[in-house]
Amino acid sequence: MRRTHVQFDRNLVGLDRIVIRGALLSMVTFGVYRFWYMTELRRFFWSRTLIAGSPAQYTGRGRELFIGFLIATAVFLPIYLAIWIAALSFPEIADFSTLLLVVVLYPLVQYAKYRGRRYRTSRTSWRGIRLSQDGSARIYMSKSVGWTMLSLATFGLAYPFMRASLERYRIDHTLVGTSRMSSAIDGWVLVKPWLIFHLFSITPVIVAAIAFLIATDFTIPRDLFVPDLAGPPGKLTINEDYIETNVVFSAAILLVTVLICLLLAISLGPFYRAKELKAFLNAVRLGECRLESRLKARTIYAAYSWYALAFAGFVGLLLGITSVVRPALTQVGGYTPTQSITLALLVLAYLAGAFLLNLLYVRVIQIRLWRAVAETTAIENGDVLEGITASRHRVAGALDEGLSDAMGVGSALEAGL
């Protein structure tokens, strides 16, 4: 029995060039180059991940992603147009058009997620042995929709069981060559960290929402907000008839609760994510081979904290520059040459800051998370890896990734399996 560690090559030479060039060309090409940019990032991260001393390889191509995106857009565009036309043609459903869009698109998003993972898996290889994913995207979509409805019906309490069920389906249908992976994850493992997250981030909102509904007799007044006659067109204000009622008080409590819980959710999100990812990795099996993770939440917190400080610094600097140059730009009748130069410098400062933040996001968050997951993962019974043989499974088509990208769920990089 041999214990093997997953390693991450910390030599990041070339990463800055990939990020800067990708950001610049994506802007110049109005986002078209991002498909090649994602491909380069994946190839870099895959090649720096060493399993039993051998790096992984990513064989996808930017052209595949671009063509798949175009095909997927042609498939989904009629759906968007049909809902938009229906909302314009039938005013009685206009108020529910957003809900209708969610109901129609949510199952498609889950379908696209599974297809996108199939593409990325089939473009991943190790020691010349290609990975693959079988299973049905329709079954995955059905399971996801069913679990989501149950989670909503239980006010989120079924969420950890949904996550465990979907993870088992993904891993159980992943193959390394001819060897099939499996997952022994149980939703009960995730209950404790999820209840902590739920107690501070979701439960107070549910209680405040119920109190608001009780105060309104479960009927939200349509005239709670009225046009502000003293303000600009379109501005709303609270109807004076409700100012000293329980309706406004409970609404204010609900709003404050939502804001506080949103901050708590942002704060506790990395904690739950770390616990979930660690549990997922510890449940992975490949025959007699299994993974063991020692991932700590503080590692994820450290990555996000550094980026949050950088982002806050950038916003503060931008606001400071704007407050200084704004008086010089205020003039009726056009800009003087000095004002034009000042405005141009402000725009350049914003673009430079945006590029810097993009670079920091990759270097501070994505690299640190990827490295943390890799370097805290060990492989028990690593000798099993020597017996894996290549397979002849069909390579997934570009449309698989195109679907997920067209639905906005195509992930360039995601730590874990």
Side-chain angles (χ1 to χ4, degrees), residues 9 29 39 45 47 54 59 97 120 124 162 170 222 231-232 247 256-257 259 263 269 276 315 343-344 356 397 409:
D9 185 354
T29 60
T39 298
F45 276 69
S47 67
S54 300
T59 59
S97 58
R120 293 188 293 274
T124 300
M162 177 185 80
R170 287 191 297 264
R222 290 184 173 271
V247 174
V256 172
T257 303
L259 293 177
L263 294 176
E276 181 188 76
V315 172
L343 181 61
L356 179 61
V409 292

Side-chain angles (χ1 to χ4, degrees), residues 309-320:
L309 290 175
F311 183 79
F314 168 68
V315 172
L317 180 63
L318 190 62
L319 291 176

Side-chain angles (χ1 to χ4, degrees), residues 29-351:
T29 60
F30 300 100
V32 172
Y33 186 77
R34 66 190 176 91
F35 303 102
W36 285 264
Y37 177 37
M38 284 194 296
T39 298
E40 286 188 286
L41 278 180
R42 289 173 181 172
R43 191 172 292 131
F44 183 90
F45 276 69
W46 265 242
S47 67
R48 296 306 190 273
T49 307
L50 309 177
I51 302 173
S54 300
Q57 296 98 31
Y58 179 75
T59 59
R61 296 190 297 173
R63 186 176 64 180
E64 292 179 335
L65 302 186
F66 179 58
I67 294 175
F69 173 77
L70 293 179
I71 297 174
T73 301
V75 172
F76 289 125
L77 186 59
I79 298 176
Y80 286 100
L81 291 176
I83 295 176
W84 180 66
I85 292 173
L88 292 178
S89 303
F90 303 98
E92 58 272 15
I93 70 170
D95 294 338
F96 306 98
S97 58
T98 301
L99 179 60
L100 179 61
L101 193 64
V102 171
V103 170
V104 172
L105 293 185
Y106 181 76
L108 296 179
V109 166
Q110 305 309 310
Y111 181 87
K113 280 184 177 180
Y114 194 80
R115 293 283 296 269
R117 185 179 183 274
R118 174 178 291 168
Y119 172 87
R120 293 188 293 274
T121 303
S122 70
R123 297 306 188 277
T124 300
S125 61
W126 174 75
R127 291 182 179 177
I129 301 173
R130 182 170 53 81
L131 278 67
S132 60
Q133 176 182 289
D134 54 17
S136 169
R138 288 189 293 271
I139 293 177
Y140 181 86
M141 176 186 69
S142 301
K143 291 170 69 70
S144 182
V145 171
W147 274 111
T148 300
M149 294 176 64
L150 182 59
S151 295
L152 292 174
T154 59
F155 297 101
L157 295 179
Y159 180 79
F161 299 96
M162 177 185 80
R163 293 288 295 164
S165 176
L166 296 179
E167 173 71 3
R168 282 197 305 271
Y169 190 84
R170 287 191 297 264
I171 298 301
D172 289 350
H173 290 88
T174 302
L175 296 96
V176 182
T178 57
S179 301
R180 182 175 295 275
M181 300 176 69
S182 63
S183 173
I185 186 64
D186 189 333
W188 288 106
V189 179
L190 305 175
V191 167
K192 182 178 178 179
W194 175 249
L195 285 180
I196 295 175
F197 180 88
H198 194 286
L199 180 64
F200 290 98
S201 305
I202 300 176
T203 303
V205 175
I206 295 174
V207 173
I210 293 175
F212 174 71
L213 291 175
I214 293 175
T216 60
D217 292 328
F218 293 90
T219 303
I220 300 176
R222 290 184 173 271
D223 59 344
L224 180 60
F225 294 97
V226 296
D228 186 358
L229 300 179
K235 183 180 179 180
L236 299 177
T237 186
I238 297 176
N239 191 333
E240 294 182 357
D241 295 338
Y242 294 98
I243 288 181
E244 297 184 1
T245 64
N246 290 333
V247 174
V248 171
F249 178 75
S250 59
I253 294 295
L254 176 59
L255 178 60
V256 172
T257 303
V258 169
L259 293 177
I260 294 176
C261 287
L262 179 61
L263 294 176
L264 290 174
I266 295 174
S267 301
L268 292 173
F271 163 77
Y272 176 75
R273 176 58 178 157
K275 296 296 184 181
E276 181 188 76
L277 185 53
K278 180 179 180 180
F280 282 173
L281 291 173
N282 283 330
V284 174
R285 305 287 187 271
L286 183 65
E288 297 298 322
C289 175
R290 70 180 185 88
L291 297 183
E292 180 182 308
S293 174
R294 307 182 314 278
L295 183 65
K296 301 294 184 182
R298 63 174 176 264
T299 307
I300 298 181
Y301 275 111
Y304 281 104
S305 297
W306 279 109
Y307 184 75
L309 290 175
F311 183 79
F314 168 68
V315 172
L317 180 63
L318 190 62
L319 291 176
I321 295 175
T322 303
S323 64
V324 171
V325 303
R326 184 176 180 181
L329 296 176
T330 305
Q331 177 179 330
V332 179
Y335 293 128
T336 65
T338 301
Q339 290 175 321
S340 299
I341 293 174
T342 304
L343 181 61
L345 290 176
L346 181 61
V347 172
L348 288 176
Y350 172 79
L351 293 176

Side-chain angles (χ1 to χ4, degrees), residues 2 4 51-52 126-127 129 176 286 289 379 381-389:
R2 182 165 64 95
T4 303
I51 302 173
W126 174 75
R127 291 182 179 177
I129 301 173
V176 182
L286 183 65
C289 175
I379 305 174
N381 298 327
D383 295 330
V384 174
L385 298 177
E386 306 298 331
I388 296 176
T389 58

